[in-house]
Amino acid sequence: MNWRGVVAIYRFEMNRTFRTIAQSIVSPVISTVLYFVVFGAAIGARIDTVEGVDYGAFIVPGLVMLTLLQQSVTNASFGIYFPKFIGTIYELLSAPMSFIEVVIGYVGAAASKALMIAVIILITSAFFVDLQIAHPVWMVAFLLLTAVSFALLGFIIGIWAKNFEQLQLIPLLVITPLVFLGGAFYSVSMLPPGWREVTYFNPVLYLISGFRWSFFGVADVPIGISLTAICVFLAACLTAIWAIFKTGWRIKP
Amino acid sequence: MARPIIRVRCERLEQEVRPLAPIISIRNLAKTYDGGFEALKGVSLDIEEGEILALLGPNGAGKTTLISAVCGLVTPSGGTVTVGGHDIQGEFRAARELIGLVPQEITIEPFEKVINTVTFSRGLFGKRRDDAHIERVLRALSLWDKRHSRNKELSGGMKRRVLIAKALSHEPRVLFLDEPTAGVDVTLRKDMWRLVRDLRDQGTTIILTTHYIEEAEEMADRIGVIDHGRLLLVEEKAQLLHQLGRKELRLELCEPLERVPESLAAYGLTLSGEGYHLTYAFDAHADHTGMTRLLADIARAGLDLRDLSTRQSSLEDVFLKLVRDGREEVA
């Protein structure tokens, strides 16, 4: 393994994060604070409790997940797409690095950055609501698994995308709606019967539900199913990455 | 007492070094792109350590594909390549560690600082951080004062030098320069030539592609001519010019001629310039060029000369002839 190469990519990507700190860290934090103000304070004050949890606190796991998914996908997709776009990918291809090492560098950096922002948001939320974490180890496990899986998805999107529009397409048109409809701001039990069944087809529901369980011990779906769902998703992304590696799809003619 | 010891070591070194295998060995390298375009049609080539090899060819000849295949940017459709004895696919790490690549396009992370960009490249190649080496490289390329500048703030010539610095950051034994002076002004081009020679003097093997014949003529030890994915010829530069080098004697007449006089028919002269110019082509390296006899015959024919000049055929003529012959052969 060329670990020095992996570290070089990781450092380079993290440098990019700190170079563009306003865009990469301040902006997601501000938008999450806005959600707290609007949904937690203004509207949440009129909602009693959901599943026995204060509404302001109830939305915290959903908000953290929303940011974590968006950040891990966009960071990883942009991270690999940009070298493709400006042509510096030649250096990655000509370096004594395997594709897997390149993936570890980019996905590791994207997941780290997303986790960093998730933690900042968690800390910020503690200023607004009374936050309790029932299962801290599971919470960390869910954070890690989600960050890594969605950074892998982002990497695949970055390889697939041929232009900036395609790069934005999946995060904007697929991930954000799935998070909103996956119970980030409500419990599935609050939906009318027909819609409830539809929601079970949304994979993000299982992530948010599992993550919320680690906070409050309550969930829309059993925790085992949530864990299985995220592991299946992780396996699917790894398989896709392996296929890209084997064929050199869209990176190596 | 020290002398014999040194001699013994030198002898051993010579023994180890003498049966030199080529640093790069390319056998039947082929590449057909997905669209069906055959960019390389079975190229075989050995590159010796320490030489400057220029790959000369028109646009679209396959030069960049050849470099890309050796460096790992393109997956070959057939054939084998070894670098330092390591197969580029089976032992890609060992092979690639020896190579530095300077691409044709200026592709560089615009927002990063020069020094970070170059340090990053060294890391990618798995080398331990070495600030002293990076400083040496940047100083040699006159980039040290700009090390904290962002890449986008640099001029075109400096950006190209940053690309070279990146390629040299991991101390490669072989350096590929793909069209190093395309779109570069004359001064920068001369600087680049000097730099390449310095690198060669330090022992780096250099393979450069160019479609500037002047560049190949100026710098290369050996020249390969490539066209339509085929290597038409690889030859020592001097040898190439010697083999194919023709010289022309041009005679300017005081009075125009309508046609070449019968008495001079044996010389194969061509008449041009409205009858004022007679041109005689001869082999510059032949023992008897026939020039003395020709001049005597001209005097005998009663022609008055205003001026005469000779011209050595350039590599350009040689190149054009090869490419033309190659295409005729394919056709």
Side-chain angles (χ1 to χ4, degrees):
Chain A
M1 283 288 279
N2 179 358
W3 284 110
R4 287 208 186 97
V6 174
V7 170
I9 293 178
Y10 185 88
R11 280 225 184 108
F12 198 81
E13 282 298 290
M14 293 312 274
N15 266 349
R16 192 163 59 79
T17 306
F18 295 118
R19 200 171 54 220
T20 55
I21 200 148
Q23 177 202 328
S24 32
I25 294 178
V26 179
S27 117
V29 171
I30 287 181
S31 61
T32 317
V33 168
L34 289 175
Y35 279 116
F36 274 120
V37 172
V38 175
F39 289 100
I43 299 173
R46 290 161 189 273
I47 300 172
D48 204 7
T49 56
V50 180
E51 313 267 353
V53 179
D54 179 60
Y55 185 69
F58 179 84
I59 63 170
V60 171
L63 277 178
V64 171
M65 271 291 158
L66 173 70
T67 315
L68 190 67
L69 296 192
Q70 282 174 337
Q71 287 298 316
S72 42
V73 169
T74 46
N75 283 324
S77 61
F78 189 80
I80 188 67
Y81 177 74
F82 198 56
K84 254 177 55 176
F85 178 70
I86 60 173
T88 50
I89 195 156
Y90 84 86
E91 207 178 9
L92 295 173
L93 296 174
S94 64
M97 293 191 80
S98 74
F99 186 67
I100 301 304
E101 289 156 356
V102 173
V103 171
I104 296 173
Y106 278 103
V107 167
S112 305
K113 184 178 149 189
L115 282 169
M116 223 161 62
I117 295 167
V119 169
I120 293 173
I121 287 168
L122 259 181
I123 294 169
T124 315
S125 70
F127 288 103
F128 291 86
V129 293
D130 180 23
L131 206 61
Q132 287 157 4
I133 301 168
H135 309 286
V137 176
W138 282 111
M139 186 203 77
V140 173
F142 265 104
L143 276 178
L144 277 174
L145 276 172
T146 310
V148 170
S149 325
F150 279 78
L152 282 170
L153 174 69
F155 191 89
I156 297 166
I157 293 170
I159 296 275
W160 162 76
K162 284 184 172 169
N163 51 49
F164 277 100
E165 197 193 353
Q166 288 185 346
L167 196 67
Q168 304 278 355
L169 206 66
I170 293 189
L172 281 179
L173 293 185
V174 181
I175 292 177
T176 308
L178 284 182
V179 177
F180 271 81
L181 301 173
F185 298 105
Y186 54 84
S187 164
V188 181
S189 60
M190 293 158 81
L191 292 174
W195 287 106
R196 206 179 298 167
E197 277 71 52
V198 173
T199 307
Y200 287 123
F201 287 99
N202 179 354
V204 177
L205 167 78
Y206 301 91
L207 289 179
I208 295 177
S209 168
F211 193 50
R212 186 173 285 138
W213 170 85
S214 70
F215 280 76
F216 311 121
V218 290
D220 287 324
V221 288
I223 178 70
I225 296 183
S226 286
L227 258 181
T228 312
I230 181 72
C231 289
V232 166
F233 184 71
L234 180 62
C237 288
L238 287 173
T239 312
I241 291 275
W242 181 81
I244 293 173
F245 166 62
K246 279 283 155 202
T247 56
W249 182 66
R250 294 216 169 157
I251 38 173
K252 199 168 168 177
Chain B
M1 281 300 287
R3 285 180 71 110
I5 296 171
I6 290 173
R7 198 181 307 141
V8 168
R9 280 191 184 154
C10 285
E11 277 167 10
R12 193 188 294 160
L13 194 68
E14 271 174 30
Q15 276 173 355
E16 281 170 12
V17 169
R18 199 169 286 154
L20 260 188
I23 183 95
I24 295 184
S25 179
I26 301 171
R27 286 289 166 275
N28 300 319
L29 188 65
K31 175 64 189 174
T32 307
Y33 286 104
D34 282 347
F37 174 65
E38 264 188 285
L40 293 177
K41 299 168 182 166
V43 170
S44 295
L45 172 65
D46 283 337
I47 298 161
E48 300 301 330
E49 181 138 31
E51 71 170 332
I52 300 181
L53 176 80
L55 284 171
L56 195 59
N59 288 322
K63 305 186 295 287
T64 300
T65 303
L66 179 62
I67 286 190
S68 300
V70 176
C71 295
L73 310 189
V74 157
T75 313
S77 317
T80 57
V81 180
T82 60
V83 182
H86 307 287
D87 183 81
I88 56 159
Q89 285 176 311
E91 302 163 274
F92 75 96
R93 286 182 206 274
R96 288 185 197 169
E97 271 170 14
L98 303 177
I99 300 176
L101 168 64
V102 182
Q104 186 173 346
E105 305 284 334
I106 295 181
T107 47
I108 196 167
E109 162 75 52
F111 308 109
E112 195 51 87
K113 287 180 181 169
V114 170
I115 190 142
N116 293 349
T117 317
V118 178
T119 312
F120 169 68
S121 301
R122 186 173 170 88
L124 273 188
F125 278 76
K127 285 280 170 86
R128 187 184 293 277
R129 192 180 160 148
D130 184 347
D131 293 341
H133 175 70
I134 300 291
E135 182 177 341
R136 263 196 310 278
V137 169
L138 290 179
R139 282 193 189 280
L141 291 159
S142 314
L143 286 169
W144 182 246
D145 294 340
K146 292 280 178 185
R147 65 191 181 280
H148 295 307
S149 302
R150 305 221 178 268
N151 290 326
K152 63 174 179 171
E153 295 159 2
L154 304 179
S155 70
M158 283 182 191
K159 283 180 187 158
R160 208 173 271 279
R161 277 182 276 148
V162 173
L163 289 180
I164 298 177
K166 281 162 78 69
L168 294 175
S169 67
H170 65 278
E171 302 155 74
R173 275 165 67 192
V174 183
L175 185 67
F176 282 92
L177 293 158
D178 195 2
E179 304 269 354
T181 58
V184 164
D185 70 35
V186 180
T187 326
L188 277 176
R189 189 175 298 172
K190 297 254 158 87
D191 284 349
M192 186 73 73
W193 292 349
R194 201 172 307 128
L195 174 75
V196 170
R197 271 192 218 102
D198 288 348
L199 286 170
R200 195 267 311 268
D201 292 344
Q202 288 157 29
T204 311
T205 307
I206 290 159
I207 295 102
L208 63 94
T209 70
T210 181
H211 55 256
Y212 296 120
I213 287 139
E214 187 196 0
E215 189 157 281
E217 198 164 358
E218 177 75 26
M219 304 182 55
D221 300 314
R222 280 200 308 156
I223 293 171
V225 178
I226 184 167
D227 190 36
H228 284 298
R230 282 198 173 83
L231 194 62
L232 302 176
L233 168 141
V234 192
E235 197 70 78
E236 297 285 333
K237 179 179 69 186
Q239 192 78 14
L240 186 66
L241 287 170
H242 181 84
Q243 277 179 6
L244 296 145
R246 301 285 289 168
K247 221 166 175 180
E248 282 179 351
L249 170 69
R250 201 171 83 147
L251 306 161
E252 201 175 318
L253 306 171
C254 293
E255 298 293 328
L257 289 176
E258 276 181 19
R259 55 189 156 75
V260 180
E262 283 294 323
S263 58
L264 302 175
Y267 295 99
L269 302 177
T270 50
L271 190 64
S272 60
E274 295 176 346
Y276 278 102
H277 297 154
L278 273 176
T279 308
Y280 170 58
F282 61 97
D283 183 351
H285 306 283
D287 291 338
H288 301 288
T289 59
M291 211 184 307
T292 319
R293 212 149 36 86
L294 171 69
L295 289 176
D297 284 344
I298 282 177
R300 220 168 284 140
L303 303 178
D304 287 335
L305 296 181
R306 189 196 295 275
D307 193 9
L308 56 83
S309 58
T310 62
R311 189 178 83 91
Q312 172 94 52
S313 69
S314 67
L315 191 55
E316 182 155 6
D317 303 320
V318 174
F319 167 73
L320 288 173
K321 184 177 180 309
L322 276 170
V323 169
R324 202 170 47 234
D325 291 353
R327 286 183 183 179
E328 275 167 12
E329 207 173 285
V330 170

